[in-house]
Structure formats: C-alpha cells, structure tokens
Amino acid sequence: MTTEKETPQPTAPPAGSAKRALVGRLSWGLADQAASSISNFAVGIYVARSLGVTAFGVFSLAWVTYGVVLNVSRGLATDPLVVRFSGVPEASWRAAVARSTGTALVVGTAIGAVSLVVGLALGGRLGPAFVCLGVLLPGLLLQDAWRFSFFAAGNGRKAFVNDVVWCVALVPAMVAAAHAGTVAAFVLAWGASAAVAAAYGCLQSGIRPRLTEARGWLGEQRDLGYRYLVENVSLSGASQLRAYGLGAIAGIGAVGAVRGAELLMGPFLAVLMGLSLVTVPEAARVLRQAPQRLGTFCLLLGGGQAIAALLWGGSLLLLPDRLGELALGSVWPSASQLIVAITFSVAGAGLGTGAAAGLRALGAARRSLRSQLFASVCYVGGGLGGAALAGTVGSAWGVAAATVGSSAVWWLHLRSALRERHSNSVPEVRTS
C-alpha cells in the first residue's frame, strides 16, 4: 500500500534533531489553533451575550453548515495534499498547493451560490444569515486551505501568522456587527475578516490558486479525495443533522445550549484541533522514517488527548455560576447542565483522533471511511434518540455514548491496517 507519490523515501534524521523538529512543528500547530480557537471562542461568546439563546441558535445553525462545507473542501482539496505532499521538495509542494487552493476556491464558489439561493428562499431569521454565508464561503475555505498547506510544508509559523491576521481583522468587524445587532451582521463580520486573511495567504506563499486546475487535481487525487469527502461530510453532516433535529425536537434554544457547552470546552478544543493540524503530516513522517513506531505514536496521541479532555471537563465543574454567567450570559444555565456529557464526548473524540491519524497516514481510506460512517450514524442516532427521550440533556448523553463507542471502532480498524501493512512488507520465507 502506498501513501504518497514522492520517491525515493528519505533517510531518517538523527533522533535528537528529529524530536526537536517534531516539538517545533507541534508547538506551531498549537499556537496556530490557539489563535484560531480564540477568535472562534470570542465570536461565540460575543454573539451569545449580544443576541441571546434563540438568536445564538440561529447563528449556530449557520456555523455548523459552514462546518459541513469546510469538510467538503478539506476532503477534496487539502486532505490529499497533507497525505501526499507533506515533507516533499518545495517545487512539488508549490505545484500541488496551487491546484489544491484552486480546488478550495471552486468548492466555496459553487456551494456558496447554493447557500445564497437557499437563504433568499428561506427568508425570516435564517435566510439573511445563509445569504451572507454563501457570499463569504470562498474566502473562508481559501483561508483554511492556506493553513493546511503551510503545515504540509512543515511551516506552521506562517499558518499562525495568517490566523493572527484574521483575529486582528475580526476586532473592528465584530464591533461594527454589534452596532447592527443582527445574526447576519455577525456572520458577515466573521466571514469578511477571514477573506482578509485568505488574501494575505497569497502574499505569504507567493502562490496564486489555480481554479482551472481543480478538475485535474480532483482526477489525480480521486482515490483518496472522494473517500475523504464522504468521510468528512458524514462527520460534519452528522453534526448538522443533529443540530437541525435537536432544534425540531427541543427548540432552537436547545441548539444554542449545546453550542454554549461546546464553547466552555473551547480552550481544550483549541489544543485538540491544533494537534489535528499536524497529526496527519507527523504520522506520515513517522510512517516514512520509522514505520514500526506508528502505532505507539497514535496511542500516545489519542490517549493524551482523552486524558486532557477529562481533566479540563473536571475543572469546568468547579466553575462558579457567576463566572459562567459572565462568559455566556443567559445561555449559561442551560449550557452548564451539559458539561459532564460534553466532556465525555470530547474525550472519546480525542481518543479516536489518534487512530484516525494513523489510518490517514497509511492511506487506508476505505477503513477510515467505514469507521467514520459508523461513527456518524451513531452520532445522529444517539443525539436525536436522546433528544426524543430526555430533551437537550438526553441528546448530549446520547452523543457522548456514541462518540466513546465509535472510538473503539477506529482503533480496531487501525490495528487491522497495521497488521495488513506488516504482512505485506514481510517477504515470504520458504523452507523447501
């Protein structure tokens, strides 16, 4: 099984320098995600306090919709880039990034047009938010594509600077949105500031996205891209279905409560997502340089994240109501009831990401797709089944149970993939 197109395989660097390089890349990943998550956290808190639980639920529906589109772009554009063009010669990386970012722009333009039409048709509270989202999707997706491109090159510093630019642009945009006081204004402020960072990414890289190369890129990466597309969309689509279903069963306010509880996990999720930016490139490097260590690397990665999530969730239980209300305003009373369930859900997700990184590095797209489809079905079933039985709290516990159970499936598939790779790499020994 091959995981990338570049040959020959590089020789492993000295252990000390390799560890220092790994720590450096992980540090930039954490720093970058800290910048990104701080801005997301600030936006969420600001909107929750400014608009209240119901309007915050509307904003959250636009947010999870963006998450679905983002995962479409990653599956088709940047996931194959990270798997196949991490640590390759610069000329090869630059050519791939031009096509990958062009693909992200095409995806954003196409789906943005659909969102615009849907928003105009919906009207009411939801319509304007989806209109603004549709207009700004190309910039949002391009900014994300630059981040993954820089990490594929092992240059997390540039990704960090790009997210800082987004944060800086976000400040005046959010102040202007607060004066308007509508969900659409906040969506517009968030997306327009991302477009500023996306434009800056072109200057940082010196690369112009090639929209005309999108079809060629999709054809070359179809063995991974389309499986990753289904895998990613099943993940974010499950989140969207759960959000819409929860809104229908328990009301839009329930969606805002869940989003509020997730915001409380924001600092830890910053670490989790920061590591996710570099885990697949690092797992791919481990596979090239010391393949026998891949399983251990993934176990340490997943186990460490799960333990950290439990510790963070435990600290939230000690948070005084006064501080919770200061952070979330009127969203706090309903969100605080979900802390324990959300903690177990995030811990299960953290454990599973270790195995997911290993499967991506191995190029085992079929196994990762099966794992994700199973996890997505469980997520929707647990979230909506729990909502039907016990409202918002039941939905949170249903998702927690589904996430923890699904992580076991991820690890079973990784173990099988490692065994298959080992058996394929060991030559047959004849005794006669």
Side-chain angles (χ1 to χ4, degrees):
M1 179 184 297
T2 59
T3 60
E4 35 88 26
K5 295 181 178 178
E6 301 297 320
T7 57
Q9 302 293 337
T11 57
S17 61
K19 288 182 179 178
R20 286 193 296 271
L22 172 61
V23 171
R25 290 190 294 267
L26 289 176
S27 298
W28 280 118
L30 291 174
D32 170 74
Q33 190 57 47
S36 176
S37 294
I38 286 172
S39 66
N40 290 341
F41 181 75
V43 169
I45 293 295
Y46 201 52
V47 176
R49 289 184 57 83
S50 300
L51 301 180
V53 66
T54 301
F56 186 56
V58 174
F59 181 84
S60 298
L61 290 178
W63 188 285
V64 297
T65 302
Y66 158 71
V68 175
V69 181
L70 183 64
N71 279 301
V72 171
S73 176
R74 288 178 177 177
L76 294 176
T78 53
D79 283 346
L81 175 78
V82 168
V83 170
R84 286 182 164 151
F85 296 92
S86 291
V88 302
E90 183 179 0
S92 178
W93 173 82
R94 291 181 67 86
V97 168
R99 291 178 289 160
S100 175
T101 53
T103 302
L105 272 178
V106 169
V107 171
T109 302
I111 303 182
V114 175
S115 178
L116 178 63
V117 172
V118 170
L120 291 173
L122 283 175
R125 286 187 170 185
L126 279 174
F130 279 87
V131 168
C132 294
L133 180 64
V135 171
L136 296 166
L137 271 176
L140 284 161
L141 299 190
L142 180 59
Q143 192 277 336
D144 185 75
W146 287 128
R147 297 172 68 206
F148 280 83
S149 299
F150 293 140
F151 277 109
N155 196 343
R157 181 181 62 84
K158 287 189 175 181
F160 170 73
V161 171
N162 192 274
D163 268 326
V164 169
V165 170
W166 187 359
C167 290
V168 172
L170 188 62
V171 173
M174 292 300 291
V175 171
H179 286 292
T182 65
V183 175
F186 282 106
V187 173
L188 187 63
W190 164 61
S193 56
V196 172
Y200 182 65
C202 297
L203 297 176
Q204 286 179 290
S205 63
I207 298 172
R208 185 179 66 182
R210 297 181 181 175
L211 283 73
T212 57
E213 297 288 335
R215 178 176 294 181
W217 174 262
L218 293 174
E220 291 176 12
Q221 311 302 326
R222 63 181 178 275
D223 57 326
L224 294 182
Y226 292 117
R227 287 194 177 98
Y228 289 157
L229 168 65
V230 176
E231 181 181 331
N232 290 356
V233 170
S234 69
L235 170 64
S236 54
S239 177
Q240 188 176 28
L241 286 174
R242 186 259 185 130
Y244 287 156
L246 180 61
I249 295 171
I252 296 294
V255 180
V258 170
R259 177 59 184 159
E262 291 172 347
L263 283 173
L264 294 173
M265 295 294 293
F268 171 75
L269 289 175
V271 176
L272 177 65
M273 296 178 67
L275 289 174
S276 71
L277 289 170
V278 293
T279 50
V280 176
E282 292 307 321
R285 289 184 176 93
V286 171
L287 182 63
R288 293 189 185 100
Q289 299 171 3
Q292 72 279 5
R293 298 178 184 173
L294 181 61
T296 302
F297 173 83
C298 294
L299 182 60
L300 291 174
L301 175 67
Q305 291 179 103
I307 292 172
L310 293 174
L311 292 174
W312 179 260
S315 69
L316 288 178
L317 294 176
L318 304 177
L319 189 70
D321 287 340
R322 179 175 58 82
L323 293 180
E325 291 172 357
L326 180 63
L328 295 179
S330 61
V331 179
W332 165 251
S334 53
S336 62
Q337 301 176 34
L338 310 179
I339 290 175
V340 176
I342 293 291
T343 297
F344 279 103
S345 179
V346 173
L351 184 61
T353 56
L359 289 173
R360 286 287 177 95
L362 289 165
R366 289 184 179 180
R367 287 193 176 276
S368 62
L369 175 58
R370 292 171 189 166
S371 301
Q372 187 56 64
L373 289 176
F374 176 83
S376 297
V377 170
C378 291
Y379 182 92
V380 174
L384 298 187
L389 292 174
T392 309
V393 175
S395 179
W397 277 110
V399 166
T403 305
V404 173
S406 299
S407 69
V409 175
W410 279 103
W411 280 100
L412 289 173
H413 274 287
L414 177 60
R415 185 179 66 173
S416 298
L418 290 171
R419 287 179 176 176
E420 287 176 0
R421 188 180 190 281
H422 178 72
S423 63
N424 291 337
S425 63
V426 175
E428 181 181 0
V429 177
R430 298 186 179 273
T431 58
S432 60

